[in-house]
Each structure stands twice: as C-alpha cells, then as structure tokens.
Amino acid sequence: MEFITLANKDSVSLIKDVLMHPLKVNRDESGILVETLRTDWKGIYGERREFAMQYFSVTKSGIARDEAVWHYHPQQEDRFLVAQGEVIAAVADNRQGSRTFGLLNLFHMKAAIDPYILLIPKVTLHGFLVVSHTPAVLLNFPTLLYNPNEEQRLSYDRAKIKGFHGSLFSWDQVRKEFSLKDRSR
C-alpha cells in the first residue's frame, strides 16, 4: 500500500472524484499565510460544492477518528486540510457502479510540507489517523451544514475494504508503518 502525496499523486490510481488541491504557502519574516479555500478554485469549489461551514479538530498522536468504523455522508462532500502535524486520511470507494469501487487511497497530509486540501466525494468511506508525534489540527470545509441524521458509519468488517497485503484495513497497519503506539484504547 502506498501513501499518496502531492509528489506522487500522478503515479497512483486515485478514487474517482477525489481531488487534491495544492495550497500556496506565503512566507516572510513574520511567518506564513496560507489561503485555505477560495471560490475561484475550480473543482474543489463551485456549483453543488458551495461552502456550508468550517470546523477544526485537534487530535493526539496515534489516535484515529473512528477506530474500527468508516464514516461517510450520502449527501455531503468533505474538504480536509491539515493545518498542524501530519495525518493519514483514508478514503475508500463504496459507491456501487463506480469504476474505482473497493479502491482504498491513503493520503499522507503534512501541514509543513506540500499542504493540500483533499476533496472527499459523497458516499466514499473515510477517516484519519494522526501520524505526527505531536497533535494534529485538521480543518474541514463540508458542503452541507452538520446534520447528525445525514452522517453514517459502517464497520470495517461489513465494508470489507482491503488494506496492506490483502487483509481487511485497520489503523494498526498504518500505526506499524509509522512506528506509532496504539493509543486508541
């Protein structure tokens, strides 16, 4: 299994409709400024991808958001951006009839190196794990206002998404790759 970055994105099979939009880091003696979402970014923003809200989460090293279940939205797209630390964002195609059905992409998102915003299509399964040794800050710009009745969960056992070496995906496989202790429990 390969971890996808901006540097290698053109040499891997991406899930249909997933987008990676590079961010420009403006640096000077006072620090950095990064534009995180603009209405003129075609594809990542536009008709039926309007801005609805923004939130951020702070997550400790080695922790996965949703440990043994996939998260998905039937009607909403998410746009993930890592503002601090590093995460692996897992996206799996669960859309019947999609040409990439069953494909798993693991996106290595680093705030300090080649930051990007990741568009996660509707119905695709997703979650993330912090792989930096410090907490990570993840921002999300979803296309709909939060509605607890709209978000769904699906257990890894039921989803049957394959990870490393053909076994069912689990965050422990990623923790091992990054030499992280299991801090989920």
Side-chain angles (χ1 to χ4, degrees):
M1 187 64 42
E2 189 169 6
F3 296 104
I4 302 167
T5 65
L6 283 177
N8 70 359
K9 73 178 179 77
D10 293 331
S11 65
V12 297
S13 295
L14 288 180
I15 291 172
K16 182 181 180 303
D17 302 321
V18 164
L19 297 174
M20 298 170 70
H21 184 88
L23 301 176
K24 182 180 178 199
V25 178
N26 299 288
R27 297 179 194 278
D28 64 20
E29 62 280 349
S30 64
I32 67 168
L33 180 139
V34 179
E35 294 175 337
T36 57
L37 184 61
R38 293 175 49 118
T39 60
D40 61 347
W41 287 353
K42 300 300 179 215
I44 204 85
Y45 187 93
E47 187 177 340
R48 293 192 303 265
R49 285 205 175 124
E50 290 83 3
F51 173 80
M53 62 180 282
Q54 187 273 323
Y55 68 86
F56 72 90
S57 61
V58 179
T59 308
K60 295 177 184 177
S61 176
I63 299 294
R65 289 292 175 133
D66 290 334
E67 183 63 34
V69 296
W70 291 103
H71 179 95
Y72 71 97
H73 300 278
Q75 301 167 0
Q76 169 184 305
E77 291 180 307
D78 284 330
R79 291 176 280 222
F80 284 4
L81 183 155
V82 176
Q84 177 180 307
E86 294 181 30
V87 308
I88 297 298
V91 181
D93 194 346
N94 195 44
R95 300 170 294 179
Q96 294 294 326
S98 170
R99 65 176 167 76
T100 56
F101 179 80
L103 183 62
L104 171 66
N105 286 162
L106 297 173
F107 297 93
H108 193 172
M109 303 179 76
K110 306 175 195 178
I113 301 171
D114 291 333
Y116 59 92
I117 189 167
L118 175 67
L119 178 82
I120 301 170
K122 298 173 190 171
V123 186
T124 57
L125 308 172
H126 58 280
F128 71 90
L129 169 78
V130 176
V131 295
S132 52
H133 292 285
T134 59
V137 176
L138 183 133
L139 286 76
N140 187 11
F141 303 89
T143 56
L144 295 176
L145 293 175
Y146 177 71
N147 176 351
N149 297 321
E150 191 271 341
E151 70 178 342
Q152 304 292 314
R153 302 266 189 294
L154 181 64
S155 73
Y156 287 179
D157 292 341
R158 287 193 56 218
K160 298 189 181 343
I161 300 298
K162 302 293 184 189
F164 296 95
H165 313 296
S167 61
L168 283 184
F169 174 78
S170 91
W171 286 119
D172 286 339
Q173 297 167 339
V174 177
R175 285 185 185 97
K176 185 176 179 183
E177 291 289 315
F178 284 86
S179 301
L180 294 170
K181 294 179 183 170
D182 184 354
R183 297 184 177 115
S184 65
R185 294 162 188 40

